[in-house]
Amino acid sequence: MDRVRPAKAGSERDRASLFADALLRLETAGVHADIDPEALERLKHPRRIVQVSIPVRMDDGYLRIFTGYRVLHDDTRGPAKGGIRFHPDVSVDEVKALALWMTFKCSVVGLPFGGGKGGVIVDPKSLSRLELERLSRGYIREIAPFIGPERDVPAPDVYTNSMIMGWMMDEYSHLNGERSPAVITGKPVSNGGSLGRDDATGRGAYLCIKELEQRRELRPEDTRVAIQGFGNAGQHVARLLHRDGYRIVAISDSQGGVMDPAGLDIPALASAKNAGLSAKSVYCLCSVHQCDLPRGQAISNAELLALDVDILIPAALENQITGDNVESVRAPVIVEVANGPTTSEADAVLDARGVLVVPDILANAGGVTVSYFEWLQSKSGDYWTLEKVHARLREIMCTEFAAVHERMEALGVSMRTAAYVHALDRLGAAISSQGTHNYFGNEQA
Ligand code: NAD
């Protein structure tokens, strides 16, 4: 429609931007979705970007100022939801892309949430535990006016965990003058968290693979899997697949990987990797490639992505499968547990080759789904059994996987485009049911 001037997403500089790449996916899906062009245009722009400076007194007495962000992409379908990342490479562009993906992820699985994301530029492994706590509390003090149980609800992401969520909830409660467990999810179970949140992201991806198992008649013992990233998300998907007999032939972390064509002993690797964790250390500082395995062979992350396997699971960071290395990727199925591991340039090549990519906004939606359960429990004070969490997660993941798969076949598009179309239809319906107040008026919601 002529009324809408599309966001530009084409120059060399734009192509290097994660957010511009995310917009390309929207444009591709927008063609097939039942959504007003103006509403689609609105979704290309985050509603709010907050940048904060966080002063932290270091253990040596010096003051350091850290930079953090909180982006609210859209909250039409409910309060914004999205994790907080502590990483040296955090940038506003990355946080904007991650927030946009959260809007689509919540919509694809039908949760009553919008999308948000936060991040702090820091190498958290270089901080002491007390410095990390001061930084976590300082970040919450700065973004407190913008978050809240009905406004924007953070959660863990890369290099943040349940302990950090507990500190953040405590800080927000102090500022607010009342206990506010529903302000954040991924909290420790001992302090208002949900059973089953710890492995929810990995379990959601595992349920997607179980759906593929039926449709593609996969035999677990003949199915070779490589997993990049062995943190919260990667470890749990590895554990669940290994338990079902899948052959996990390679895993890696930020320092390198390990491979065994006969299949790795995942429980042994997880306990070796986590052995460095103690009451004092927040992060695991050892790497899987240093583990003393009887048969394992060290490989690089680049080699892992190029392995001849049946399923490749990127579960670390974004931009791992790109125009530069996509030709070397041999797996016929990719399950994106990380957010944004495949660029749109690489996507086009994979699509043309008939590679099935289960997209991030579906494959890793188990985490936010159990975060939703946690939010409900924190608000009501009625805590669920693990069986109930698992049953409701299974119901949502399997139903939405089937819906996206059906869309893919009906439209003849990639699974990623089908997932975006599915999400856009829900977003479009929610936006149009609001009337013009939020979208075309001048008032703040
Ligand atoms: P994590 O901090 O627990 O683990 C990250 C893992 O990635 C670690 O094993 C780390 O060593 C590894 N890693 C870091 N840089 C790497 C590199 N360059 N190459 C290979 N491995 C590398 O984080 P996580 O929570 O497991 O998150 C991993 C991915 O999953 C991220 O993209 C995150 O956004 C996504 N995700 C996480 C959740 C969640 O609930 N934790 C939910 C949805 C999506």
Side-chain angles (χ1 to χ4, degrees):
M1 230 199 250
D2 291 336
R3 281 181 297 149
V4 176
R5 206 164 301 177
K8 278 201 293 177
S11 70
E12 278 304 310
R13 219 175 110 248
D14 275 345
R15 269 199 287 278
S17 151
L18 210 56
F19 185 69
D21 205 54
L23 293 184
L24 288 176
R25 266 73 186 257
L26 242 67
E27 282 175 16
T28 309
V31 175
H32 304 279
D34 184 15
I35 186 166
D36 182 276
E38 289 189 347
L40 183 65
E41 183 61 21
R42 180 69 187 86
L43 289 169
K44 294 179 187 167
H45 305 268
R47 285 198 55 186
R48 182 169 62 217
I49 300 173
V50 177
Q51 177 175 335
V52 295
S53 306
I54 313 152
V56 176
R57 182 71 57 197
M58 306 302 280
D59 291 347
D60 60 9
Y62 283 95
L63 189 72
R64 262 184 75 188
I65 314 285
F66 295 88
T67 300
Y69 305 99
R70 185 76 196 169
V71 172
L72 189 157
H73 172 258
D74 185 76
D75 57 0
T76 311
R77 301 186 71 257
K81 190 85 195 74
I84 297 167
R85 178 173 291 195
F86 283 179
H87 197 278
D89 296 339
V90 162
S91 67
V92 69
D93 180 75
E94 179 187 67
V95 183
K96 276 165 62 185
L98 288 160
L100 180 146
W101 290 328
M102 284 308 298
T103 300
F104 284 86
K105 191 182 304 180
C106 293
S107 187
V108 92
V109 287
L111 306 179
F113 284 135
K117 203 78 181 192
V120 177
I121 305 173
V122 58
D123 173 7
K125 294 182 184 175
S126 69
L127 301 187
S128 72
R129 186 180 164 123
L130 273 176
E131 289 167 343
L132 189 68
E133 181 170 345
R134 286 183 215 119
L135 174 67
S136 305
R137 288 180 182 277
Y139 174 67
I140 288 299
R141 277 198 296 279
E142 298 303 328
I143 64 161
F146 306 100
I147 59 172
E150 300 299 333
R151 196 172 285 165
D152 181 357
V153 185
D157 190 66
V158 174
Y159 296 153
T160 55
N161 57 20
S162 62
M163 183 174 69
I164 294 173
M165 297 303 113
W167 297 335
M168 289 180 166
M169 189 268 272
D170 183 64
E171 188 64 28
Y172 185 85
S173 297
H174 279 289
L175 290 169
N176 213 22
E178 61 184 30
R179 189 177 152 78
S180 312
V183 70
I184 210 157
T185 59
K187 302 178 293 289
V189 174
S190 57
N191 203 1
S194 175
L195 293 172
R197 177 62 185 87
D198 52 351
D199 72 359
T201 303
R203 185 172 294 272
Y206 159 79
L207 290 169
C208 290
I209 293 170
K210 296 306 275 183
E211 289 292 306
L212 283 179
E213 187 182 298
Q214 290 171 21
R215 288 172 170 78
R216 298 206 154 201
E217 295 177 0
L218 299 176
R219 283 163 42 97
E221 60 278 21
D222 298 334
T223 308
R224 298 157 304 161
V225 183
I227 305 177
Q228 183 200 40
F230 204 53
N232 175 290
Q235 270 193 37
H236 287 298
V237 72
R239 176 180 59 79
L240 291 165
L241 290 174
H242 179 265
R243 187 197 64 183
D244 279 10
Y246 279 82
R247 218 167 1 126
I248 317 293
V249 297
I251 59 167
S252 67
D253 57 30
S254 58
Q255 298 172 62
V258 62
M259 178 185 77
D260 183 347
L264 295 162
D265 181 347
I266 296 298
L269 273 165
S271 58
K273 164 108 180 147
N274 298 333
L277 292 175
S278 66
K280 282 196 172 165
S281 57
V282 178
Y283 299 101
C284 170
L285 299 178
C286 81
S287 165
V288 289
H289 86 274
Q290 295 158 332
C291 293
D292 190 16
L293 293 167
R295 298 187 308 255
Q297 170 192 335
I299 53 164
S300 69
N301 266 295
E303 287 165 339
L304 181 140
L305 294 175
L307 285 177
D308 178 19
V309 289
D310 303 294
I311 303 180
L312 175 63
I313 305 183
L317 295 171
E318 57 269 11
N319 279 348
Q320 298 302 302
I321 304 172
T322 68
D324 292 337
N325 66 359
V326 64
E327 295 299 349
S328 67
V329 172
R330 287 190 279 169
V333 174
I334 297 175
V335 179
E336 294 184 332
V337 171
N339 284 306
T342 314
T343 65
S344 53
E345 193 182 346
D347 239 1
V349 176
L350 294 170
D351 202 23
R353 281 211 327 245
V355 174
L356 179 75
V357 181
V358 183
D360 48 5
I361 59 168
L362 176 64
N364 70 29
V368 72
T369 302
V370 178
S371 274
Y372 165 56
F373 301 161
E374 181 176 333
W375 180 73
L376 291 175
Q377 295 169 70
S378 291
K379 275 158 60 101
S380 67
D382 176 19
Y383 285 88
W384 300 5
T385 61
L386 187 60
E387 290 69 32
K388 181 170 171 178
V389 169
H390 284 173
R392 290 209 51 190
L393 176 64
R394 176 181 293 275
E395 186 190 325
I396 290 176
M397 290 305 302
C398 297
T399 305
E400 303 301 339
F401 183 97
V404 172
H405 200 272
E406 220 169 88
R407 274 290 173 93
M408 172 180 82
E409 291 185 335
L411 294 173
V413 294
S414 70
M415 199 166 186
R416 188 186 312 282
T417 299
Y420 273 87
V421 172
H422 188 52
L424 273 174
D425 281 357
R426 281 188 174 136
L427 279 159
I431 292 168
S432 66
S433 71
Q434 274 186 329
T436 58
H437 173 78
N438 279 340
Y439 275 82
F440 313 116
N442 294 320
E443 272 184 75
Q444 288 292 312

